[in-house]
Amino acid sequence: DMPDVEWHFTVLDDGSINAFTTGGGYVYVFRGLLAYMNSEAELAAVIGHEIAHVTKKHPSKGQGRSILANILAIGAAVMTGNAAVADMANIGAAAWVQGYGREAESEADRVGMVYMTRAGYDPRAMRAMFEVLKAQENFEIAAARAEGREPRVYHGVFSDHPAPDDRSAVAARAAALVVEPDKGFVINRNTYMQAVDGMAFGTSRAQGVVRDNRFYHAAMGITMAFPRGWIIENQRDRILAYNPTQSRDPNGNVAPESVLQISVEPRPENKSPREFLIQKLGRGNSLAGGTPVTLNDMDGYSVLTRSGSPLDNGSGPVRYIVLYRGGSAFIFAGASRSARDGKPEADGIFRSVAETMRSLKSAEFPLTEPYRLKILRATETTRLAEYAQNIPAEKYHREELELINGVYPRKPLPIGEYIKVVE
Protein backbone atom coordinates (compact mmCIF):
# COMPACT_ATOMS: atom_id res chain seq x y z
CA ASP A 1 0.00 0.00 0.00
CA MET A 2 3.02 2.28 0.46
CA PRO A 3 5.65 0.84 -1.90
CA ASP A 4 7.98 3.84 -1.67
CA VAL A 5 8.25 3.86 2.14
CA GLU A 6 11.47 2.53 3.68
CA TRP A 7 10.44 0.50 6.71
CA HIS A 8 12.39 0.26 9.96
CA PHE A 9 11.61 -2.29 12.69
CA THR A 10 13.23 -1.84 16.09
CA VAL A 11 13.16 -3.78 19.35
CA LEU A 12 13.24 -1.47 22.37
CA ASP A 13 15.15 -2.70 25.42
CA ASP A 14 12.15 -2.34 27.70
CA GLY A 15 10.26 -4.98 29.66
CA SER A 16 6.83 -3.44 28.96
CA ILE A 17 4.18 -5.32 26.99
CA ASN A 18 3.72 -2.92 24.13
CA ALA A 19 4.31 -2.05 20.47
CA PHE A 20 3.72 1.18 18.57
CA THR A 21 4.51 3.18 15.45
CA THR A 22 5.45 6.82 15.01
CA GLY A 23 4.39 6.72 11.36
CA GLY A 24 6.61 7.10 8.33
CA GLY A 25 7.55 3.42 8.29
CA TYR A 26 8.96 3.23 11.84
CA VAL A 27 7.63 0.37 13.97
CA TYR A 28 8.79 -0.44 17.51
CA VAL A 29 8.23 -3.60 19.54
CA PHE A 30 9.09 -3.73 23.23
CA ARG A 31 11.30 -6.59 24.38
CA GLY A 32 8.72 -7.35 27.07
CA LEU A 33 6.09 -8.16 24.47
CA LEU A 34 8.45 -10.62 22.74
CA ALA A 35 8.57 -12.62 25.98
CA TYR A 36 4.79 -13.15 25.82
CA MET A 37 4.77 -14.36 22.21
CA ASN A 38 5.14 -18.03 21.36
CA SER A 39 5.56 -18.07 17.58
CA GLU A 40 6.82 -16.07 14.63
CA ALA A 41 3.23 -15.85 13.41
CA GLU A 42 2.22 -14.01 16.58
CA LEU A 43 5.02 -11.52 15.98
CA ALA A 44 3.80 -11.14 12.39
CA ALA A 45 0.33 -10.32 13.73
CA VAL A 46 1.70 -7.48 15.85
CA ILE A 47 3.93 -6.19 13.04
CA GLY A 48 1.03 -6.36 10.58
CA HIS A 49 -1.18 -4.40 12.96
CA GLU A 50 1.40 -1.63 13.38
CA ILE A 51 2.11 -1.47 9.63
CA ALA A 52 -1.63 -1.04 9.08
CA HIS A 53 -1.64 1.96 11.42
CA VAL A 54 0.93 3.57 9.13
CA THR A 55 -0.68 2.70 5.81
CA LYS A 56 -4.06 3.93 7.05
CA LYS A 57 -2.44 7.12 8.36
CA HIS A 58 -3.61 6.68 11.95
CA PRO A 59 -0.54 8.14 13.73
CA SER A 60 -1.01 11.62 12.30
CA LYS A 61 -4.52 11.68 13.73
CA GLY A 62 -3.31 10.83 17.24
CA GLN A 63 -0.36 13.16 17.63
CA GLY A 64 -2.45 15.59 19.66
CA ARG A 65 -2.51 13.19 22.60
CA SER A 66 1.27 13.10 22.81
CA ILE A 67 1.46 16.88 22.49
CA LEU A 68 -1.16 17.22 25.21
CA ALA A 69 0.94 15.11 27.57
CA ASN A 70 3.90 17.45 27.10
CA ILE A 71 1.71 20.52 27.51
CA LEU A 72 0.38 19.18 30.81
CA ALA A 73 3.91 18.62 32.09
CA ILE A 74 5.01 22.10 31.04
CA GLY A 75 1.81 23.55 32.49
CA ALA A 76 2.57 22.02 35.86
CA ALA A 77 5.97 23.69 35.81
CA VAL A 78 4.48 27.07 34.92
CA MET A 79 1.72 26.86 37.53
CA THR A 80 4.15 26.04 40.33
CA GLY A 81 7.04 28.20 39.13
CA ASN A 82 9.21 25.08 39.33
CA ALA A 83 10.94 23.90 36.15
CA ALA A 84 11.86 20.58 37.74
CA VAL A 85 8.20 19.79 38.35
CA ALA A 86 7.93 18.99 34.66
CA ASP A 87 9.92 15.82 35.39
CA MET A 88 7.54 14.82 38.17
CA ALA A 89 4.50 15.78 36.10
CA ASN A 90 5.64 13.33 33.44
CA ILE A 91 4.74 10.50 35.81
CA GLY A 92 1.82 8.94 34.00
CA ALA A 93 2.11 11.28 31.04
CA ALA A 94 2.47 8.27 28.76
CA ALA A 95 -1.05 7.34 29.78
CA TRP A 96 -2.27 10.15 27.53
CA VAL A 97 -0.70 8.53 24.49
CA GLN A 98 -3.54 6.14 23.94
CA GLY A 99 -4.57 4.02 21.00
CA TYR A 100 -6.14 5.59 17.94
CA GLY A 101 -9.72 4.87 18.90
CA ARG A 102 -11.91 1.83 18.43
CA GLU A 103 -12.53 2.33 14.72
CA ALA A 104 -8.86 2.82 13.87
CA GLU A 105 -7.68 -0.08 16.03
CA SER A 106 -10.29 -2.38 14.49
CA GLU A 107 -9.23 -1.27 11.03
CA ALA A 108 -5.57 -2.00 11.89
CA ASP A 109 -6.62 -5.47 13.04
CA ARG A 110 -8.42 -6.18 9.78
CA VAL A 111 -5.73 -4.78 7.49
CA GLY A 112 -2.93 -6.27 9.59
CA MET A 113 -4.47 -9.71 9.17
CA VAL A 114 -4.51 -9.20 5.40
CA TYR A 115 -0.82 -8.31 5.46
CA MET A 116 0.22 -11.30 7.57
CA THR A 117 -1.79 -13.79 5.52
CA ARG A 118 -0.37 -12.40 2.27
CA ALA A 119 3.06 -13.14 3.76
CA GLY A 120 1.92 -16.69 4.45
CA TYR A 121 1.44 -16.49 8.23
CA ASP A 122 -1.37 -18.22 10.07
CA PRO A 123 -4.09 -15.58 10.68
CA ARG A 124 -5.22 -17.47 13.78
CA ALA A 125 -2.07 -16.16 15.47
CA MET A 126 -3.71 -12.74 15.72
CA ARG A 127 -6.44 -14.24 17.86
CA ALA A 128 -3.74 -15.95 19.95
CA MET A 129 -2.11 -12.57 20.64
CA PHE A 130 -5.41 -11.07 21.76
CA GLU A 131 -5.94 -14.04 24.06
CA VAL A 132 -2.51 -13.37 25.59
CA LEU A 133 -3.56 -9.75 26.25
CA LYS A 134 -6.88 -10.90 27.67
CA ALA A 135 -5.16 -13.38 30.00
CA GLN A 136 -2.83 -10.61 31.19
CA GLU A 137 -5.83 -8.36 31.82
CA ASN A 138 -7.74 -11.06 33.73
CA PHE A 139 -4.71 -11.76 35.87
CA GLU A 140 -4.16 -8.09 36.69
CA ILE A 141 -7.82 -7.59 37.62
CA ALA A 142 -7.75 -10.63 39.92
CA ALA A 143 -4.46 -9.52 41.53
CA ALA A 144 -5.75 -5.97 42.05
CA ARG A 145 -8.92 -7.26 43.66
CA ALA A 146 -6.89 -9.44 46.03
CA GLU A 147 -4.61 -6.52 46.92
CA GLY A 148 -7.40 -3.96 47.29
CA ARG A 149 -6.17 -1.62 44.56
CA GLU A 150 -7.17 -0.37 41.13
CA PRO A 151 -6.04 -2.69 38.29
CA ARG A 152 -3.30 -1.37 36.00
CA VAL A 153 -5.04 -2.48 32.81
CA TYR A 154 -4.48 -0.67 29.52
CA HIS A 155 -7.79 -1.63 27.94
CA GLY A 156 -9.66 -1.08 31.17
CA VAL A 157 -8.47 2.52 31.36
CA PHE A 158 -8.92 3.64 27.79
CA SER A 159 -12.49 3.09 26.76
CA ASP A 160 -11.80 4.13 23.16
CA HIS A 161 -9.58 1.06 22.64
CA PRO A 162 -11.29 -2.28 21.86
CA ALA A 163 -11.06 -4.88 24.60
CA PRO A 164 -8.89 -7.94 23.84
CA ASP A 165 -11.77 -10.39 24.06
CA ASP A 166 -13.81 -8.40 21.51
CA ARG A 167 -10.84 -8.26 19.15
CA SER A 168 -10.18 -11.97 19.65
CA ALA A 169 -13.70 -12.84 18.58
CA VAL A 170 -13.52 -10.64 15.49
CA ALA A 171 -10.09 -12.04 14.57
CA ALA A 172 -11.39 -15.61 14.93
CA ARG A 173 -14.27 -14.95 12.55
CA ALA A 174 -11.98 -13.28 10.02
CA ALA A 175 -9.38 -16.05 10.21
CA ALA A 176 -12.06 -18.68 9.53
CA LEU A 177 -12.72 -17.08 6.15
CA VAL A 178 -9.09 -17.29 4.99
CA VAL A 179 -8.31 -20.20 2.66
CA GLU A 180 -5.24 -22.09 3.82
CA PRO A 181 -2.55 -22.47 1.14
CA ASP A 182 -1.58 -25.93 -0.10
CA LYS A 183 1.72 -25.83 1.81
CA GLY A 184 -0.03 -24.68 4.97
CA PHE A 185 0.35 -21.49 6.98
CA VAL A 186 3.65 -20.39 8.51
CA ILE A 187 3.72 -20.53 12.33
CA ASN A 188 7.38 -21.21 13.21
CA ARG A 189 6.90 -21.77 16.92
CA ASN A 190 10.20 -23.59 17.44
CA THR A 191 12.19 -21.08 15.38
CA TYR A 192 10.76 -18.20 17.40
CA MET A 193 11.32 -19.86 20.76
CA GLN A 194 14.95 -20.59 19.91
CA ALA A 195 15.41 -16.95 18.86
CA VAL A 196 14.31 -15.61 22.27
CA ASP A 197 16.33 -18.17 24.22
CA GLY A 198 18.59 -16.20 26.56
CA MET A 199 16.75 -12.90 26.08
CA ALA A 200 16.61 -10.67 29.16
CA PHE A 201 13.33 -10.94 31.08
CA GLY A 202 12.20 -7.91 33.02
CA THR A 203 14.90 -5.25 33.11
CA SER A 204 18.21 -5.67 31.31
CA ARG A 205 21.78 -5.19 32.50
CA ALA A 206 21.92 -1.80 30.76
CA GLN A 207 18.88 -0.62 32.71
CA GLY A 208 19.92 -2.10 36.01
CA VAL A 209 18.25 -4.99 37.76
CA VAL A 210 15.74 -5.06 40.62
CA ARG A 211 15.99 -8.10 42.89
CA ASP A 212 13.48 -8.22 45.70
CA ASN A 213 13.48 -4.63 46.97
CA ARG A 214 17.03 -3.70 45.89
CA PHE A 215 18.29 -2.09 42.68
CA TYR A 216 21.68 -3.02 41.19
CA HIS A 217 23.46 -1.28 38.31
CA ALA A 218 26.79 -2.67 37.09
CA ALA A 219 27.87 0.19 34.83
CA MET A 220 27.16 2.81 37.48
CA GLY A 221 28.53 0.54 40.19
CA ILE A 222 25.71 1.35 42.60
CA THR A 223 22.95 -0.30 44.58
CA MET A 224 20.07 1.06 46.65
CA ALA A 225 17.13 -0.37 48.57
CA PHE A 226 13.43 0.45 48.56
CA PRO A 227 10.70 -0.24 51.13
CA ARG A 228 9.41 -3.80 50.98
CA GLY A 229 6.04 -3.99 49.33
CA TRP A 230 6.59 -0.88 47.20
CA ILE A 231 6.21 -1.21 43.44
CA ILE A 232 9.44 -0.44 41.58
CA GLU A 233 9.29 0.52 37.91
CA ASN A 234 12.75 0.56 36.37
CA GLN A 235 12.12 2.73 33.33
CA ARG A 236 14.61 3.62 30.62
CA ASP A 237 15.37 7.10 31.96
CA ARG A 238 14.34 6.90 35.61
CA ILE A 239 13.25 4.70 38.49
CA LEU A 240 9.75 5.15 39.86
CA ALA A 241 8.94 3.63 43.23
CA TYR A 242 5.54 3.98 44.84
CA ASN A 243 3.50 2.39 47.56
CA PRO A 244 0.76 0.02 46.40
CA THR A 245 -1.97 1.89 48.31
CA GLN A 246 -3.96 3.94 45.83
CA SER A 247 -6.83 6.38 46.10
CA ARG A 248 -8.71 8.86 43.95
CA ASP A 249 -7.90 12.55 43.84
CA PRO A 250 -10.62 15.26 43.65
CA ASN A 251 -10.69 14.81 39.87
CA GLY A 252 -11.37 11.09 40.18
CA ASN A 253 -7.92 10.02 38.99
CA VAL A 254 -6.37 6.98 40.66
CA ALA A 255 -2.83 7.49 41.95
CA PRO A 256 -0.56 6.10 44.67
CA GLU A 257 -0.34 7.77 48.05
CA SER A 258 3.41 8.40 47.65
CA VAL A 259 5.88 8.23 44.78
CA LEU A 260 9.66 8.55 44.53
CA GLN A 261 11.47 9.28 41.28
CA ILE A 262 15.21 8.80 40.82
CA SER A 263 16.98 10.17 37.75
CA VAL A 264 20.60 10.85 36.84
CA GLU A 265 22.25 13.73 34.99
CA PRO A 266 25.85 14.63 34.17
CA ARG A 267 27.52 16.28 37.13
CA PRO A 268 28.11 19.96 36.31
CA GLU A 269 31.59 21.36 36.59
CA ASN A 270 32.33 23.97 39.23
CA LYS A 271 28.91 23.73 40.87
CA SER A 272 28.25 22.51 44.37
CA PRO A 273 25.28 20.18 44.97
CA ARG A 274 23.44 23.17 46.45
CA GLU A 275 24.07 25.35 43.40
CA PHE A 276 23.08 22.53 41.06
CA LEU A 277 19.80 21.79 42.82
CA ILE A 278 18.76 25.41 43.33
CA GLN A 279 19.45 26.20 39.69
CA LYS A 280 17.50 23.12 38.58
CA LEU A 281 14.51 24.03 40.72
CA GLY A 282 14.63 27.70 39.76
CA ARG A 283 15.54 30.59 42.03
CA GLY A 284 11.99 31.93 41.86
CA ASN A 285 10.67 28.80 43.50
CA SER A 286 9.74 28.77 47.16
CA LEU A 287 12.22 26.46 48.91
CA ALA A 288 12.55 25.39 52.51
CA GLY A 289 14.75 23.24 54.72
CA GLY A 290 17.84 23.30 52.53
CA THR A 291 20.74 21.43 54.07
CA PRO A 292 24.00 19.83 52.90
CA VAL A 293 24.16 16.04 53.19
CA THR A 294 26.96 13.49 53.04
CA LEU A 295 25.87 9.90 52.46
CA ASN A 296 28.28 7.01 51.96
CA ASP A 297 31.09 9.39 50.92
CA MET A 298 28.83 11.22 48.46
CA ASP A 299 28.31 14.96 48.83
CA GLY A 300 24.82 16.24 48.25
CA TYR A 301 22.10 18.68 49.12
CA SER A 302 18.50 18.29 50.24
CA VAL A 303 15.66 20.78 49.98
CA LEU A 304 11.87 20.98 50.04
CA THR A 305 9.70 22.80 47.54
CA ARG A 306 6.53 24.23 49.04
CA SER A 307 4.51 23.06 46.03
CA GLY A 308 4.81 20.91 42.95
CA SER A 309 3.52 17.48 43.97
CA PRO A 310 2.01 15.66 40.95
CA LEU A 311 -0.32 13.78 43.32
CA ASP A 312 -2.42 16.76 44.49
CA ASN A 313 -2.61 19.09 41.50
CA GLY A 314 0.73 20.68 42.33
CA SER A 315 -0.18 22.13 45.72
CA GLY A 316 1.84 19.81 47.96
CA PRO A 317 5.57 19.84 48.78
CA VAL A 318 8.26 17.76 47.06
CA ARG A 319 11.44 16.48 48.68
CA TYR A 320 14.51 16.85 46.45
CA ILE A 321 17.90 15.34 47.16
CA VAL A 322 20.91 15.42 44.85
CA LEU A 323 23.96 13.24 45.41
CA TYR A 324 27.24 13.60 43.52
CA ARG A 325 28.99 10.37 42.61
CA GLY A 326 31.82 10.42 40.10
CA GLY A 327 30.68 12.33 37.05
CA SER A 328 26.98 11.89 37.80
CA ALA A 329 24.34 13.74 39.78
CA PHE A 330 21.63 11.46 41.21
CA ILE A 331 18.37 13.31 41.80
CA PHE A 332 15.73 11.99 44.21
CA ALA A 333 12.26 13.59 44.02
CA GLY A 334 9.55 12.38 46.39
CA ALA A 335 5.93 13.46 46.79
CA SER A 336 2.89 12.29 48.76
CA ARG A 337 -0.85 12.83 48.44
CA SER A 338 -0.85 14.46 51.88
CA ALA A 339 1.67 16.54 53.81
CA ARG A 340 2.62 17.12 57.42
CA ASP A 341 4.56 20.12 58.77
CA GLY A 342 5.29 21.23 55.21
CA LYS A 343 6.79 17.87 54.26
CA PRO A 344 5.44 14.99 52.19
CA GLU A 345 3.81 12.30 54.33
CA ALA A 346 6.49 9.79 53.28
CA ASP A 347 9.39 12.23 53.63
CA GLY A 348 11.26 9.96 56.03
CA ILE A 349 11.00 7.07 53.56
CA PHE A 350 12.31 9.20 50.69
CA ARG A 351 15.36 10.26 52.70
CA SER A 352 16.01 6.73 53.92
CA VAL A 353 16.07 5.40 50.33
CA ALA A 354 18.72 7.99 49.43
CA GLU A 355 20.72 6.89 52.47
CA THR A 356 20.85 3.29 51.17
CA MET A 357 22.60 4.27 47.92
CA ARG A 358 26.18 3.00 47.94
CA SER A 359 28.88 1.43 45.79
CA LEU A 360 28.53 -2.19 44.76
CA LYS A 361 30.60 -4.72 46.64
CA SER A 362 32.62 -7.16 44.54
CA ALA A 363 30.40 -10.04 45.64
CA GLU A 364 27.31 -8.18 44.41
CA PHE A 365 28.27 -7.83 40.74
CA PRO A 366 26.74 -11.22 39.82
CA LEU A 367 23.44 -9.77 41.05
CA THR A 368 23.58 -7.15 38.29
CA GLU A 369 22.99 -9.79 35.62
CA PRO A 370 19.40 -9.84 34.38
CA TYR A 371 16.97 -12.71 34.56
CA ARG A 372 16.82 -14.49 31.20
CA LEU A 373 14.43 -16.71 29.29
CA LYS A 374 15.45 -20.35 29.00
CA ILE A 375 13.80 -22.59 26.43
CA LEU A 376 13.14 -26.28 27.12
CA ARG A 377 10.81 -28.96 25.83
CA ALA A 378 7.78 -29.77 27.91
CA THR A 379 7.32 -33.37 28.94
CA GLU A 380 4.54 -35.10 30.82
CA THR A 381 6.44 -34.50 34.05
CA THR A 382 7.23 -30.79 33.45
CA ARG A 383 5.72 -28.53 36.11
CA LEU A 384 6.01 -24.74 35.84
CA ALA A 385 5.85 -24.48 39.62
CA GLU A 386 9.32 -26.02 39.79
CA TYR A 387 10.73 -22.97 37.98
CA ALA A 388 8.53 -20.33 39.59
CA GLN A 389 11.01 -19.18 42.23
CA ASN A 390 13.21 -17.60 39.54
CA ILE A 391 10.58 -15.11 38.39
CA PRO A 392 11.69 -11.52 39.24
CA ALA A 393 8.51 -10.48 41.01
CA GLU A 394 7.31 -9.95 44.55
CA LYS A 395 4.67 -12.67 44.10
CA TYR A 396 2.52 -14.47 41.50
CA HIS A 397 5.54 -16.37 40.19
CA ARG A 398 3.65 -19.36 38.78
CA GLU A 399 1.05 -17.10 37.21
CA GLU A 400 3.75 -15.11 35.40
CA LEU A 401 5.21 -18.29 33.91
CA GLU A 402 1.75 -19.36 32.78
CA LEU A 403 1.21 -15.98 31.14
CA ILE A 404 4.42 -15.97 29.11
CA ASN A 405 3.63 -19.49 27.91
CA GLY A 406 0.02 -18.77 27.02
CA VAL A 407 -1.38 -21.31 29.49
CA TYR A 408 -2.94 -18.99 32.10
CA PRO A 409 -4.83 -19.95 34.16
CA ARG A 410 -3.55 -23.48 34.84
CA LYS A 411 -3.98 -24.76 31.30
CA PRO A 412 -1.98 -27.85 30.28
CA LEU A 413 1.46 -27.39 28.79
CA PRO A 414 1.96 -28.34 25.12
CA ILE A 415 3.74 -31.69 25.57
CA GLY A 416 6.72 -32.05 23.25
CA GLU A 417 6.81 -28.33 22.40
CA TYR A 418 9.26 -25.66 23.52
CA ILE A 419 8.20 -23.64 26.56
CA LYS A 420 9.80 -20.70 28.38
CA VAL A 421 11.12 -20.61 31.93
CA VAL A 422 13.21 -17.95 33.64
CA GLU A 423 16.65 -18.27 35.18
Side-chain angles (χ1 to χ4, degrees):
D1 293 338
M2 287 184 170
D4 297 328
V5 171
E6 181 178 334
W7 293 85
H8 302 265
F9 301 93
T10 303
V11 176
L12 296 179
D13 185 18
D14 188 298
S16 304
I17 305 173
N18 203 359
F20 68 96
T21 176
T22 56
Y26 289 85
V27 174
Y28 301 86
V29 179
F30 285 63
R31 172 174 49 78
L33 181 58
L34 297 179
Y36 283 78
M37 297 178 184
N38 289 285
S39 73
E40 187 180 319
E42 292 178 17
L43 175 58
V46 172
I47 295 294
H49 175 93
E50 298 303 330
I51 289 176
H53 276 312
V54 178
T55 60
K56 297 304 176 182
K57 297 181 172 59
H58 296 155
S60 60
K61 302 173 185 177
Q63 294 303 313
R65 295 186 178 93
S66 180
I67 296 171
L68 176 60
N70 293 330
I71 290 175
L72 290 172
I74 295 171
V78 173
M79 292 294 291
T80 61
N82 181 349
V85 173
D87 290 334
M88 291 294 286
N90 271 323
I91 297 173
W96 289 86
V97 186
Q98 307 176 17
Y100 303 108
R102 286 181 176 270
E103 183 177 346
E105 293 293 342
S106 297
E107 183 179 38
D109 290 344
R110 294 193 302 271
V111 176
M113 180 175 288
V114 171
Y115 292 158
M116 67 180 295
T117 53
R118 283 179 183 173
Y121 290 101
D122 191 337
R124 289 168 293 190
M126 182 169 282
R127 178 187 183 185
M129 275 308 306
F130 293 142
E131 290 178 345
V132 166
L133 293 174
K134 181 60 179 177
Q136 182 71 26
E137 180 179 283
N138 288 341
F139 163 70
E140 171 60 21
I141 291 173
R145 185 183 299 116
E147 296 170 4
R149 58 172 175 80
E150 288 287 327
R152 295 182 289 275
V153 176
Y154 178 85
H155 299 280
V157 175
F158 305 129
S159 59
D160 67 340
H161 206 297
D165 49 351
D166 295 336
R167 300 170 76 181
S168 176
V170 172
R173 290 194 294 269
L177 300 176
V178 178
V179 178
E180 185 169 355
D182 293 338
K183 295 183 179 180
F185 289 120
V186 176
I187 299 176
N188 284 351
R189 177 185 174 93
N190 290 348
T191 302
Y192 180 83
M193 297 289 270
Q194 290 170 338
V196 299
D197 190 14
M199 185 179 73
F201 182 77
T203 53
S204 67
R205 194 175 194 272
Q207 295 172 288
V209 176
V210 176
R211 294 182 181 273
D212 295 325
N213 67 322
R214 183 169 282 276
F215 173 76
Y216 301 90
H217 200 292
M220 293 181 179
I222 63 166
T223 181
M224 68 184 75
F226 296 89
R228 288 199 175 276
W230 276 43
I231 298 168
I232 305 169
E233 293 186 5
N234 186 15
Q235 301 181 353
R236 290 184 303 279
D237 59 346
R238 70 189 72 188
I239 297 176
L240 289 181
Y242 48 93
N243 62 341
T245 304
Q246 298 181 345
S247 59
R248 295 186 181 274
D249 62 18
N251 298 322
N253 300 316
V254 177
E257 295 290 343
S258 297
V259 63
L260 175 64
Q261 172 186 283
I262 303 169
S263 57
V264 61
E265 297 182 9
R267 174 178 175 174
E269 296 184 7
N270 304 319
K271 281 186 182 177
S272 67
R274 178 182 180 276
E275 292 170 329
F276 168 81
L277 199 53
I278 290 178
Q279 180 178 0
K280 183 175 180 64
L281 298 177
R283 290 189 175 277
N285 197 24
S286 179
L287 305 178
T291 180
V293 296
T294 301
L295 300 173
N296 297 318
D297 298 325
M298 293 177 290
D299 292 330
Y301 194 76
S302 177
V303 71
L304 284 165
T305 63
R306 297 189 186 279
S307 60
S309 169
L311 301 180
D312 59 0
N313 295 323
S315 62
V318 179
R319 165 67 68 182
Y320 282 93
I321 302 172
V322 62
L323 293 175
Y324 279 0
R325 185 181 187 278
S328 300
F330 290 84
I331 305 159
F332 297 74
S336 296
R337 181 68 61 84
S338 58
R340 182 180 301 176
D341 299 328
K343 301 177 182 179
E345 187 73 29
D347 189 51
I349 293 176
F350 302 148
R351 288 183 287 127
S352 66
V353 170
E355 291 171 359
T356 68
M357 181 172 153
R358 60 169 173 78
S359 298
L360 281 169
K361 300 175 182 177
S362 58
E364 291 176 318
F365 274 91
L367 298 174
T368 66
E369 292 299 321
Y371 294 86
R372 297 187 182 276
L373 295 180
K374 180 180 180 181
I375 307 304
L376 52 85
R377 286 193 184 275
T379 68
E380 294 181 355
T381 60
T382 303
R383 300 291 182 270
L384 289 180
E386 297 175 2
Y387 302 92
Q389 69 274 11
N390 292 330
I391 288 289
E394 187 76 19
K395 48 188 172 180
Y396 305 121
H397 303 90
R398 190 201 75 251
E399 291 86 347
E400 192 69 43
L401 278 180
E402 291 178 346
L403 288 166
I404 66 175
N405 282 290
V407 295
Y408 177 85
R410 295 184 179 274
K411 296 178 182 177
L413 291 172
I415 305 302
E417 299 283 355
Y418 283 123
I419 63 169
K420 300 187 289 275
V421 297
V422 176
E423 63 177 9

